């Protein structure tokens, strides 16, 4: 999965988490029920889609399994952590600047548009 797609999914996870929190705070039972009816859940689904499928030979040694997992998961986990860090930093900077004219959802939307425009592509 490309870096931009991982970043989009990270933003999607945070946006979905905000919607769930909003529903809880507002006591929106209908929204909570629909969110809990989706199996395995939107957030879990997005996380699973970011992770690569890993084939491990039946006769693999523990060291080989470790190497396979590190090779397959290392880059995507690095990109996921980078995405969450980028989103957190964007939200924190807006907060620290005392910005009350923009919501956290708008900050995430702006970030998503910047990802789409290629601002955070590797080498950019």
């Amino acid at each position: 999965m490309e870096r931009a797609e991982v970043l989009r999914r990270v933003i999607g996870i945070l946006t979905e988490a905000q919607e769930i929190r909003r529903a809880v705070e507002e006591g929106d039972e209908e929204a909570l029920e629909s969110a809990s009816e989706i199996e395995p859940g939107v957030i879990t689904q997005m996380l699973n889609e970011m992770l690569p499928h890993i084939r491990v030979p039946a006769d693999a040694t523990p060291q080989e399994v470790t190497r396979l997992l590190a090779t397959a998961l290392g880059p995507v986990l690095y990109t996921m952590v980078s995405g969450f860090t980028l989103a957190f930093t964007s939200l924190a900077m807006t907060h620290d600047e005392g910005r009350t004219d923009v919501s956290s959802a708008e900050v995430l939307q702006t970030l998503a548009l910047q990802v789409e425009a290629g601002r955070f592509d590797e080498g950019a």
Side-chain angles (χ1 to χ4, degrees):
M1 180 174 290
E2 291 183 22
R3 176 181 167 83
E5 183 61 27
V6 171
L7 293 174
R8 281 191 291 273
R9 289 178 194 260
V10 164
I11 293 166
I13 288 168
L14 294 172
T15 301
E16 182 65 20
Q18 277 189 319
E19 286 301 310
I20 292 169
R21 180 174 180 225
R22 182 202 54 78
V24 168
E25 288 176 350
E26 294 177 1
D28 187 344
E29 294 297 323
E30 185 177 317
L32 288 172
E33 286 177 26
S34 67
S36 66
E37 289 173 4
I38 302 171
E39 292 298 329
V42 175
I43 292 173
T44 302
Q45 182 179 346
M46 283 191 272
L47 283 170
N48 287 337
E49 289 171 354
M50 285 189 280
L51 298 175
H53 295 276
I54 303 168
R55 301 185 99 191
V56 178
D59 62 344
T61 66
Q63 293 81 9
E64 290 170 328
V65 172
T66 300
R67 185 183 50 75
L68 285 168
L69 290 174
T71 300
L73 294 176
V76 73
L77 291 177
Y78 175 82
T79 303
M80 286 171 60
V81 169
S82 296
F84 281 108
T85 302
L86 174 64
F88 172 81
T89 302
S90 297
L91 292 163
M93 287 173 57
T94 301
H95 174 270
D96 291 349
E97 291 169 359
R99 300 274 312 267
T100 58
D101 61 318
V102 61
S103 70
S104 57
E106 291 170 325
V107 172
L108 292 174
Q109 289 171 348
T110 299
L111 188 57
L113 291 172
Q114 291 172 342
V115 169
E116 284 298 317
R119 179 169 178 203
F120 302 103
D121 289 349
E122 292 180 280

